[in-house]
Structure formats: C-alpha cells, structure tokens
Amino acid sequence: MCPRLKAVSNSNTELGDSWEYEPAPEGTRPEISDSYGLFIDGEFVEPSSGKMMKTVSPSTEEVLSEVGVADAEDVDRAVSAARTASAKWRRIAPRERAKYLFRIARRIQEKARELAVLESMDGGKPIKESRDIDVPEAAKHFFYHGGWADKLDYAFPGRQAKPVGVAAQIIPWNFPLLMAAWKIAPALACGNTVILKPAETTPLTALALAEILQEVDLPPGVVNILTGAGKTGASLASHPGLNKLAFTGSTEVGKKLAENLAGTDVRLTLELGGKSPNIIFEDASIDQAIEGIVAGIWFNQGHVCCAGSRLFVQEGVVDEVLEKLDLRMQSLRIGDPLDKNTDVGAINSRAQLRRIRGYLTQGKKEGAELHRVRGPKLPDKGFWMRPCYLTGVQPAHVVAREEIFGPVLSVMTFRTPEEALRRANNTPYGLAAGVWSDKGSRIFDVASKLKAGVVWCNTYNRFDASSPFGGFKESGFGREGGRQGLRAYLNLV
Ligand code: NAP
Ligand code: MG
C-alpha cells in the first residue's frame, strides 16, 4: 500500500468508507493587507464614499481583508484617468507597449506561488488548479499579447489597426486573475486603456495584479481597478465616457447591458453562460472519456462557463460509462483548497451554494436520481458541495436546461448521431461542446454541426491564449484570445 494513503474508518465518514491522503499543505503564505483602496491613476486611493467591504475565504469563512466599494464618483475618476492616459498610451511605440506586457508576464511568473495561494484563499479553488492553470495561463496571456503589440498591421493585412480607446471590463469570480489577464492583455496590446471591475467575492488577485502594474511602472491610468459589488459594475457599464465594454458573467446581466448599450457607439462583447453538451459515442475510449467528463464538470467545482454539464452517452455504453464514472467520482478528494491533494475545493460563496442546492432539489422533484461522492465528512465551516451526477434526467427538466454553475452533471442517453446532435443543440446556449469517438470522420461531422463556439474532440476544457474563445446565441458574442480576439479592441481603417 502507498505509505501516504490510509484507510478512513466508517466512524469518520458521512457516507461510507473512503481513502484519505496524508495532508500536503501548501507552505507559501502571501502577504495580505488589512485593507485595499481602489486602483486609480496608478495609485491605491480611498473610495470617495469611504465605504469598504469584506472579502472572505469560502473554505473557512475567515475575513481575509477589506476592499473599497467604488461608486459613481469613483467610476468617473477612473474613466477620466483612463481617458487622459489613453492619449499617451496609444502613441507609445508598439514595441515599447509590448515591453510592459512582457514585464507584467514575467512578474506574474516570479510571484506565481503567492498569486496561486491568494487565488485559492479568496475564491476556494484547489491550489493545484490555481498553481497549474490559472496563474500560468494568466502569464501566457500577457506574453502572447505582448507578441502581437507591434504586429497588429500584420494581423489584419491591408488595414490599419487603431485602438478603440477606453475599455471597461467586468469579470466574474470563477477565474479571477486569469479573466483579468484575459481582458487586460489584449486591450493594452492594442493601445487601449482599461477600467477593470473584479467580482465582489474575489477581488484580491486583481489588486495583487495592480501592485504588479506599479512594480513594472506601467504609466498611471492605463489600467484602473475598481472593486465593489454589482452596483459598481452597473455604474461603470453605463458611464458615457466608454468606447468599449467587455463583460463576462451571467446571461441575465449580459442581456441588460446589451439593452442599455443598444443605439450607442460603445463596442460590446459578451461572454455569458452555457449548458454545454459532452457527447460520448460507443466507439470512444471510455477510460479517456471519463477523464474528460471529470475535467468537464468537476474541475473548479463546476464554476466554469463552458462546463460539460450535459452528458450524452450512446445507449450501448451507458452502463459501462456510469459504472466507471461513479468509481472515478468516488476517488475525488474534496476539502482544503490549500492542500495539494485536493481535487475539489469550496463553492465560491454562500449565495452560489444556495443556488446549486436549489437546482438539486428541483432536479429530484422532477424525478432525477442523485449520485454523489461519498467519503469523509465535509468541514463545518465554509461552503461545500459533493460533486454529483443526476440520472433519469429528461430534456425538459430544469437541470437539463439551465446553467447550474456547480459540480452537478446531468446524464442523458441517445441512440444515433442525429439524435445526439438534435439534443445537444436544443439549448439557448452555444458556448462549448465535447465529442468523444474513435472515428475521425464522425468527429468532424458532429463537430461541424454543433452550434458552439468551441468544440473539443476527445478532450475537454483545454485553453490557450492563441485560441479564440466565445459563444453563440445566449452565450454571447465576440471572441477573446487569438488573432480573432484582437478585433474587439481595434478599429480597422
Ligand atoms: P453576475 O452577476 O453576472 O456577475 C458578473 C460580474 O458582473 C461581476 O463582476 C458582477 O459584480 C458584475 N455585475 C453584477 N450586476 C451587474 C450589473 N447590473 N451591471 C454590470 N455589472 C454587474 O454573475 P453572478 O451573480 O456572480 O453569478 C450568477 C450566475 O451567473 C452563476 O450562477 C452562473 O450561472 C453565471 N455566471 C457565469 C459566468 C461565466 O463565466 N459565464 C461567470 C460567473 C457567473 P459583483 O460580483 O460584484 O456582483
Ligand atoms: Mg472571497
């Protein structure tokens, strides 16, 4: 037996036997100030109202720090700082702009461990994900876009690429630092200035990024970061001084923003929710597909807009898939995000936990059967949920139609590729999809008919800065990443 594994007796478990690893706690502890102001014009300043809000660790409910709540007056200050900075920043030689992006990327790498720990503390995601995905990908976005800064005319041959101007960027809580990098890097590379609004529950890594921007001497006002709640977002989105708004978050808020900006000349991109299908054909490598299902839905507690939350399994292999899926699910370790063995961390907030539980109750009421991870009792403090899947789900059920944004998989079956396609596309969303088959021709055929911005074939939830990402239908419009993503931050003349 592996010496680091020990059997856990029934007395310590809520739902039966399980295996537990010895703890492997992360040693690094980032410095967290008691209080952070708003980052405007290159400096941390008090919010004009003096109002602060607490940010807590969702795994312990411990207060980590307090941050400023920006109101309309602060938004005005930030937009005017960005406007003033824009006049200079757009004229800096592109190769000089690139150097700032490379410096930011390198500084993120130097501080990678601290940033990863901070992300896991503030947001609840397991350290192995923030360490291996969020932070390295954030650095990559700055490296990648730094590379484009002096080649924009080649990205769009025959056209002259001009910055759009001042961009407001509103981001959610599921990938706080990565989303900030994802938004800021292309905007800066294209010569724009930015006002970023992080989500209420996860402000700390955006503020750590603000410190990095100071360290690399980014000119004041080029990036401004306003913390606060939804009201801050709403007042930023409606400020008349913007040229561009980029939003990632719920479809509900996205629709409101689209309505408000209709008829104005503010450029808008929306990256919204999803209910992405993951389709397993009989001839797929089932063991490989199981890993893809796990990565698709239980990664980051299911807090992923492109989560493969609807699983479609061809009838002939459904028993095998469910048996293997259950076995794999039981091996997931849930708990302290700062333990390097943890696979599934804490749900981001109490409100989100309540929302997910509401969906489970609804699913059971509609006749679905719940299968969840057994294993040790979950901590008393914090917001926890066992990863689970639902069988007996019908396409009309709420759990098959609405985005749950939690570790909940709805399993359905199909007989023919046509049926799989019809059911997969039967959704108002169109962000991502997965196809699993041994047959290349089937993969190409099905992938080309899926109405989704990203289709993963024999894999799931893979990202790269050079690969455009975005949705169809109610999942939004516009692309982020890659050459296509630059388009949103440029006027081509
Ligand atoms: P949300 O309200 O759309 O939040 C996204 C961002 O928009 C946050 O920074 C939020 O600020 C801000 N915001 C809220 N109201 C706004 C408004 N009226 N105008 C401008 N900005 C506004 O999403 P949520 O409440 O955090 O999550 C709700 C559901 O949305 C989730 O259950 C999930 O289904 C979906 N969601 C999708 C994504 C995605 O990546 N597509 C990400 C997160 C959530 P505050 O956080 O400070 O309120
Ligand atoms: Mg928090």
Side-chain angles (χ1 to χ4, degrees):
M1 186 173 67
C2 166
R4 293 189 61 77
L5 277 175
K6 60 178 183 194
V8 176
S9 76
N10 267 337
S11 60
N12 189 30
T13 62
E14 200 176 53
L15 293 164
D17 272 329
S18 79
W19 293 89
E20 200 178 62
Y21 277 59
E22 290 290 348
E26 168 62 48
T28 310
R29 279 291 174 279
E31 260 180 52
I32 305 178
S33 303
D34 292 340
S35 162
Y36 292 88
L38 310 171
F39 187 64
I40 300 178
D41 213 10
E43 283 176 29
F44 285 95
V45 297
E46 297 261 312
S48 54
S49 66
K51 238 175 111 182
M52 306 295 283
M53 64 183 191
K54 293 181 170 50
T55 184
V56 302
S57 153
S59 58
T60 61
E61 298 182 55
E62 172 201 358
V63 174
L64 298 172
S65 181
E66 58 171 25
V67 304
V69 178
D71 65 9
E73 201 179 318
D74 302 310
V75 167
D76 211 38
R77 275 199 286 169
V79 173
S80 95
R83 175 64 58 201
T84 309
S86 167
K88 285 191 199 143
W89 182 247
R90 63 192 300 146
R91 283 196 184 82
I92 290 182
R95 65 174 182 284
E96 296 302 317
R97 276 207 309 264
K99 286 183 194 166
Y100 285 104
L101 277 95
F102 292 136
R103 265 181 236 156
I104 297 167
R106 280 197 297 270
R107 200 70 191 115
I108 290 176
Q109 287 183 322
E110 283 161 11
K111 291 180 135 182
R113 206 57 177 235
E114 285 165 58
L115 290 168
V117 175
L118 193 58
E119 198 72 304
S120 286
M121 289 173 81
D122 202 20
K125 65 173 63 194
I127 184 71
K128 67 178 173 195
E129 281 176 13
S130 43
R131 182 196 62 199
D132 298 347
I133 298 168
D134 297 61
V135 176
E137 287 295 323
K140 266 196 225 165
H141 272 267
F142 281 102
F143 275 126
Y144 175 79
H145 288 97
W148 270 122
D150 60 352
K151 302 171 195 72
L152 295 174
D153 290 339
Y154 301 100
F156 304 98
R159 315 281 296 270
Q160 250 194 323
K162 304 266 185 217
V164 169
V166 173
Q169 307 183 316
I170 301 177
I171 57 172
W173 40 261
N174 52 347
F175 292 91
L177 180 69
L178 180 54
M179 280 293 126
W182 190 309
K183 294 260 183 298
I184 293 174
L188 261 48
C190 294
N192 304 280
T193 56
V194 162
I195 308 104
L196 178 87
K197 150 76 177 84
E200 180 181 0
T201 55
T202 51
L204 293 183
T205 46
L207 295 165
L209 181 62
E211 288 172 347
I212 289 178
L213 303 180
Q214 283 183 324
E215 287 161 10
V216 305
D217 289 326
L218 188 76
V222 171
V223 174
N224 305 274
I225 299 181
L226 297 180
T227 48
K231 252 175 129 178
T232 306
S235 73
L236 174 59
S238 58
H239 194 282
L242 306 178
N243 302 104
K244 153 92 193 151
L245 174 62
F247 174 82
T248 299
S250 63
T251 296
E252 187 193 347
V253 173
K255 278 184 181 172
K256 255 193 250 168
L257 299 179
E259 267 171 39
N260 296 347
L261 291 184
T264 71
D265 59 3
V266 179
R267 298 263 294 269
L268 178 66
T269 41
L270 296 175
E271 201 263 277
L272 308 175
K275 191 74 185 173
S276 301
N278 204 358
I279 306 171
I280 319 289
F281 284 99
E282 279 169 0
D283 63 353
S285 156
I286 301 296
D287 291 341
Q288 199 189 336
I290 295 295
E291 289 312 308
I293 298 167
V294 171
I297 187 66
W298 294 321
F299 163 59
N300 199 25
Q301 296 73 246
H303 298 335
V304 186
C305 49
C306 50
S309 52
R310 287 185 300 149
L311 179 67
F312 292 99
V313 187
Q314 200 161 16
E315 272 186 8
V317 288
V318 73
D319 291 344
E320 184 187 353
V321 166
L322 287 181
E323 191 182 321
K324 288 186 166 169
L325 183 64
D326 205 272
L327 198 66
R328 180 68 177 87
M329 183 175 78
Q330 299 308 339
S331 75
L332 295 174
R333 286 179 300 275
I334 313 154
D336 183 3
L338 294 183
D339 188 317
K340 288 174 243 171
N341 291 320
T342 295
D343 296 306
V344 180
I347 299 297
N348 183 264
S349 65
R350 193 184 296 282
Q352 189 61 18
L353 180 60
R354 204 174 296 132
R355 202 173 291 146
I356 302 169
R357 283 189 176 148
Y359 277 110
L360 287 186
T361 309
Q362 171 86 16
K364 283 191 273 183
K365 222 192 280 169
E366 288 177 319
E369 193 183 338
L370 173 69
H371 312 259
R372 57 183 180 146
V373 174
R374 295 184 287 275
K377 194 172 172 296
L378 297 174
D380 296 327
K381 283 242 166 199
F383 317 129
W384 303 98
M385 159 139 296
R386 294 173 191 277
C388 62
Y389 64 90
L390 297 164
T391 52
V393 176
Q394 298 301 322
H397 288 175
V398 170
V399 289
R401 289 188 286 115
E402 294 186 14
E403 180 176 50
I404 300 178
F405 226 66
V408 182
L409 176 69
S410 295
V411 183
M412 289 165 278
T413 59
F414 67 92
R415 291 199 177 119
T416 62
E418 293 69 33
E419 187 188 356
L421 268 168
R422 204 170 49 244
R423 298 180 76 174
N425 284 333
N426 182 17
T427 168
Y429 294 111
L431 197 53
V435 189
W436 299 80
S437 168
D438 197 30
K439 219 170 162 188
S441 57
R442 169 169 293 152
I443 286 187
F444 283 120
D445 182 52
V446 171
S448 68
K449 291 173 182 159
L450 280 165
K451 294 198 181 74
V454 176
V455 181
W456 284 292
C457 302
N458 290 335
T459 188
Y460 206 93
N461 266 345
R462 299 276 171 180
F463 306 95
D464 194 90
S466 63
S467 178
F469 186 88
F472 286 102
K473 302 192 276 184
E474 291 197 11
S475 293
F477 49 78
R479 292 293 176 265
E480 295 185 302
R483 188 175 61 86
Q484 293 83 345
L486 300 171
R487 187 67 191 84
Y489 290 98
L490 292 169
N491 285 323
L492 299 180
V493 291

